[in-house]
Amino acid sequence: MHIESSGNEKDEPPALLASLKEFRSAGRGFWHDVPEAQWNDWRWQLKNRITTLAQLERLMPTLSPEERAGAQFANTKLALGITPYFFNLIDPADENCPVRRQVIPRIEETTTAAWELSDPCGEDGHSPVPGLVHRYPDRVLFLVTDRCASYCRYCTRSRLVSNASGYDFHPEFDKQIAYIAAHPEIRDVLLSGGDPLIFSDEKLEDLLTRLRAIPHVEFLRIGTRIPIFLPQRITPELCSMLKQFHPLFISIHTNHPRELTTEVREALGRLADAGIPLGNQSVLLKHVNDDVTVMRALVQKLLMCRVKPYYVYQCDLIAGSAHLRASVRKGLEIMKGLRGHTTGYAVPQYVIDAPGGGGKVPVNPEYVLSRNSDRVVIRNFEGKVFEYPEARDGRPLFKPSEDFCPPELV
Ligand code: SF4
């Protein structure tokens, strides 16, 4: 029964949405004279990363004083590192470029609020052996490296990633694998870090083989931002190797539709063709994606790349991240602008990782307005209110007779 309406959401300007959804190549930019074979070689891209203030100043004379000061301090907190490919997505004329804000350090990173933490998700407190986080009953997070192709200024694991702050992270796989093997309740292993796809094919294959040899490990996952920072890494050889380990899922990480280039779409297509289900995790970031139209373009573009938008994270209370954290109010407004306004498959779950190690808590706009034993009052995406008569729970209608034999399992 429809009760009342509180009005419709406004649609985004169609031209802006269409422009955000266009697939473009990152181009060659400053590296136009590098031979094609080198440019497409992921090891060349890693070797030629932008890692110093001097390189940044040369490539981007428009560096602001805040960025220059940030880059000076970066290597004492979280290293500066940007692949040439990803650097080409930065608009040097726009200090608020959403790609730029994610990877160019700023002086604000050196200011830590009282409630910010170096380990905001309390991972170290849930680590039975170094590099393994056992927070949930049936799954573990396996931190396999502290290296990434490029470094995100809001990284939740900046305490260890890049080793700039001296965490000295040297995971010894034997200990972690022994723990997993000794705990039959672990059915799901998520490889993360750092970025596991930074390993050579051989090293990754060896690790996956050892995990697959544990009978109770049903499901493997890899969390990676490499398809976005370094699509050249997603070679046909890597995809053929990964497909031996099904069921294997990959979660990518992208925040703005401009990161989804033609190169990224092709790389993701190769992973999807290898039968790997793909999901995306985004972090809600101020002046990057804290906007309904930007987020709508991102999730729709992800589906075009065969990726299911999986989570949108409220930015963790990581030390020095206040300038990048958008409000929960904004996050809820965005979710309200997605649900019902676009394909259900395109709608991720918005979560807050509870500070200190409470785990992921789903956060949703209010759709259930009231509920009692007789009725549920709900609101739809247009703001219209409906009443649903509550059903009565009871015993299952089917009760097997005593001489019923269930079919044999084969
Ligand atoms: S890719 Fe992931 S682990 Fe690496 S810096 Fe970015 S958020 Fe951190």
Side-chain angles (χ1 to χ4, degrees), residues 148 150-152 154-155 161 193-195 225 229 253:
C148 301
S150 303
Y151 293 109
C152 314
Y154 51 86
C155 178
V161 160
D195 200 316
R225 209 177 174 193
F229 282 146
H253 168 182

Side-chain angles (χ1 to χ4, degrees), residues 200-243:
S200 67
D201 291 0
E202 295 70 30
K203 186 166 179 177
L204 195 54
E205 182 171 13
D206 180 59
L207 183 57
L208 291 168
T209 304
R210 292 176 72 187
L211 289 167
R212 263 279 160 259
I214 303 172
H216 54 264
V217 173
E218 299 169 0
F219 181 58
L220 293 170
R221 287 188 277 167
I222 296 175
T224 174
R225 209 177 174 193
I226 275 190
I228 304 299
F229 282 146
L230 186 59
Q232 296 81 357
R233 171 69 187 101
I234 312 302
T235 59
E237 295 74 28
L238 173 74
C239 297
S240 310
M241 183 275 283
L242 291 175
K243 72 197 263 197

Side-chain angles (χ1 to χ4, degrees), residues 6 128 164 202 244 271 347 408:
S6 65
E202 295 70 30
Q244 305 171 83
L271 288 169
V347 182
E408 216 171 278

Side-chain angles (χ1 to χ4, degrees), residues 126-391:
H126 286 101
S127 291
V129 293
L132 200 73
V133 183
H134 196 175
R135 169 72 189 80
Y136 301 99
D138 68 343
R139 52 206 185 273
V140 286
L141 170 66
F142 188 169
L143 304 177
V144 296
T145 176
D146 63 355
R147 302 290 132 160
C148 301
S150 303
Y151 293 109
C152 314
R153 306 320 304 173
Y154 51 86
C155 178
T156 294
R157 292 195 195 105
S158 54
R159 70 186 185 285
L160 66 89
V161 160
S162 86
N163 198 31
S165 49
Y167 189 92
D168 228 10
F169 183 65
H170 299 290
E172 291 164 29
F173 298 160
D174 290 352
K175 280 190 191 158
Q176 290 128 333
I177 290 172
Y179 179 90
I180 295 166
H183 288 261
E185 72 276 18
I186 298 171
R187 40 163 291 286
D188 170 6
V189 178
L190 166 59
L191 302 188
S192 185
D195 200 316
L197 294 191
I198 207 141
F199 286 167
S200 67
D201 291 0
E202 295 70 30
K203 186 166 179 177
L204 195 54
E205 182 171 13
D206 180 59
L207 183 57
L208 291 168
T209 304
R210 292 176 72 187
L211 289 167
R212 263 279 160 259
I214 303 172
H216 54 264
V217 173
E218 299 169 0
F219 181 58
L220 293 170
R221 287 188 277 167
I222 296 175
T224 174
R225 209 177 174 193
I226 275 190
I228 304 299
F229 282 146
L230 186 59
Q232 296 81 357
R233 171 69 187 101
I234 312 302
T235 59
E237 295 74 28
L238 173 74
C239 297
S240 310
M241 183 275 283
L242 291 175
K243 72 197 263 197
Q244 305 171 83
F245 298 100
H246 285 312
L248 169 72
F249 282 40
I250 286 186
S251 290
I252 64 160
H253 168 182
T254 181
N255 298 317
H256 191 277
R258 206 195 286 169
E259 294 165 42
L260 296 173
T261 59
T262 47
E263 291 91 331
V264 168
R265 183 174 56 182
E266 282 166 22
L268 294 170
R270 288 192 285 279
L271 288 169
D273 285 346
I276 300 171
L278 301 171
N280 179 62
Q281 315 190 88
S282 291
V283 180
L284 182 67
L285 296 169
K286 195 174 358 181
H287 304 316
V288 173
N289 57 10
D290 57 338
D291 175 274
V292 177
T293 305
V294 169
M295 215 40 125
R296 205 175 291 182
L298 175 66
V299 296
Q300 291 177 356
K301 221 171 163 185
L302 279 164
L303 287 191
M304 290 156 80
C305 293
R306 305 161 72 181
V307 180
K308 160 85 182 85
Y310 178 36
Y311 281 132
V312 171
Y313 287 92
Q314 178 63 22
C315 186
D316 292 327
L317 296 173
I318 185 76
S321 64
H323 62 296
L324 285 169
R325 279 203 306 277
S327 66
V328 175
R329 182 192 58 73
K330 180 57 82 175
L332 288 169
E333 183 188 306
I334 289 170
M335 294 313 298
K336 210 169 147 207
L338 295 180
R339 173 69 63 201
H341 296 271
T342 193
T343 316
Y345 271 112
V347 182
Q349 175 65 59
Y350 179 37
V351 288
I352 301 179
D353 233 317
K360 292 183 192 66
V361 179
V363 190
N364 295 309
E366 231 31 87
Y367 291 109
V368 176
L369 302 182
S370 70
R371 188 165 68 85
N372 61 27
S373 55
D374 297 324
R375 62 175 205 154
V376 184
V377 179
I378 51 177
R379 179 185 63 74
N380 80 351
F381 76 103
E382 298 162 303
K384 292 178 182 162
V385 177
F386 299 83
E387 189 179 300
Y388 181 88
E390 184 61 301

